[in-house]
Amino acid sequence: MDRLVNTVRPYAWGSVTALPELLGQEPTGEPQAELWMGAHPGAPSRADRGDGPRPLDELIAADPEGELGAATVARFGPVLPFLFKVLTAGLPLSIQAHPSLDQARAGYAAENALGIPLDAPHRSYRDANHKPELICALGDFDGLCGFRTPAGAAAVMAGLQVPALDPLIALLGAEDESEALRGTLAAILTMDGATAAATVRDTAEAVDKAAAGDPDGPYALYTRITRDFPGDRGLIAALLLNAVRLRAGQALYLGAGVPHAYLHGSCVELQANSDNVLRAGLTPKHIDVPELLKVVEFSSGAPDLLLPTAVDATPGEELYPVPIDEFRLSRFTLDGREREIDGRGPQILLCTAGTARLTAADGTTLDLASGESAFLPATGTGTRLTGTGATLFRATVTL
């Protein structure tokens, strides 16, 4: 077992207080957006095995089968296939979507062939992997996920009574759902600057007025955008998407092509080990409209909120089921009874409340307080979990 030393990413949208509160630290006054746990080369966790802290990706590269297990290496290659995070949003994140595995491989190869540097601001594909992700709320968590039906989006726009939105409402009336959604999003993103500025201004004023008259109504959520991203056409794109509020313990799985944005709150996030993002607004970063329109899945549907289900083979474990194998997220709410997890695959354990004790097969123990995490190599032996009033998230793979 390795206690992890993790990197905090200070993105501008991060909460100033949420992550320090989880970690039991004083706020620095600066935003702290994400705590990364894993072996992503952008910010690998570090572990000290007696010779000083070493990056986890370096430890894995030195002995892939010893760290990940032969079955994991055979299935996913000699790298940890997931990245685990705590995400705390004080401001909205960009509206975005992620490519499929085939799209990521093709896009990465194409940008390499063009000689675009990996760190270029206009680069869309930072690696050749897909980025499905699962978030689980640690408290109330607001976001946008997936398209409304065209009729539903048209009704939301019409309710604002903004004449400049009428051309978009007309596009949403197309008979084919995919074409209605694609055509409307494309029109928003390619609108000339003067038209976009006037439309966003009028829409923002209408949103704020509607929310002031009905603070619990359907437009209140969008005031975060009008306040934090004035003049951004992402406000109009956001009206196309389903608004969702997760309560603590509820989760949401986001596959390839699903447009989404996280607006406010704290969650744990488990994703494939990738950093490929195609943006559609609420950001000063590059928006690659043609590539985004290739990646997005233009179909409507209400988000499916996930609740954990009991795992018969592991008493006390609650699983958030997802349709992929690169990552598996589960949760333990420790109540004084000893629990045991197997060690067939690599795993990261994160404590988000209380104090949990991990006991290895050789009797070695490691205590995790809130915000602390540990890497468990694939030794094949079990680890016992104990604690009272502690919440422990388990990230691993499905074999």
Side-chain angles (χ1 to χ4, degrees), residues 346-398:
Q347 49 198 313
I348 293 176
L349 300 181
L350 166 69
C351 182
T352 59
T355 300
R357 170 163 290 185
L358 319 182
T359 304
D362 64 1
T364 302
T365 63
L366 179 62
D367 290 342
L368 297 180
S370 178
E372 294 184 330
S373 58
F375 174 68
L376 278 60
T379 61
T381 58
T383 299
R384 300 192 302 278
L385 313 176
T386 54
T388 301
T391 301
L392 200 64
F393 283 92
R394 180 193 188 198
T396 184
V397 297
T398 298

Side-chain angles (χ1 to χ4, degrees), residues 9 36 38-44 57 273:
R9 308 308 295 261
W36 282 28
H40 191 286
D57 58 342
N273 200 24

Side-chain angles (χ1 to χ4, degrees), residues 134-138 246 249-252 266-269 320 329 393:
L134 174 70
I135 62 168
C136 179
L138 295 176
L246 302 180
Q250 291 182 324
L252 195 60
S266 299
C267 67
V268 296
E269 180 181 27
Y320 292 93
L329 181 68
F393 283 92

Side-chain angles (χ1 to χ4, degrees), residues 223-240:
T223 59
R224 293 190 182 278
I225 297 173
T226 64
R227 179 190 65 210
D228 298 325
F229 288 89
D232 193 306
R233 67 182 72 197
L235 170 64
I236 310 172
L239 299 176
L240 299 176

Side-chain angles (χ1 to χ4, degrees), residues 64 68-81 344-346 378 396-397 399:
L68 306 176
T72 299
V73 173
R75 175 69 177 82
F76 305 110
V79 293
L80 188 67
R344 290 175 293 170
T396 184
V397 297
L399 296 172

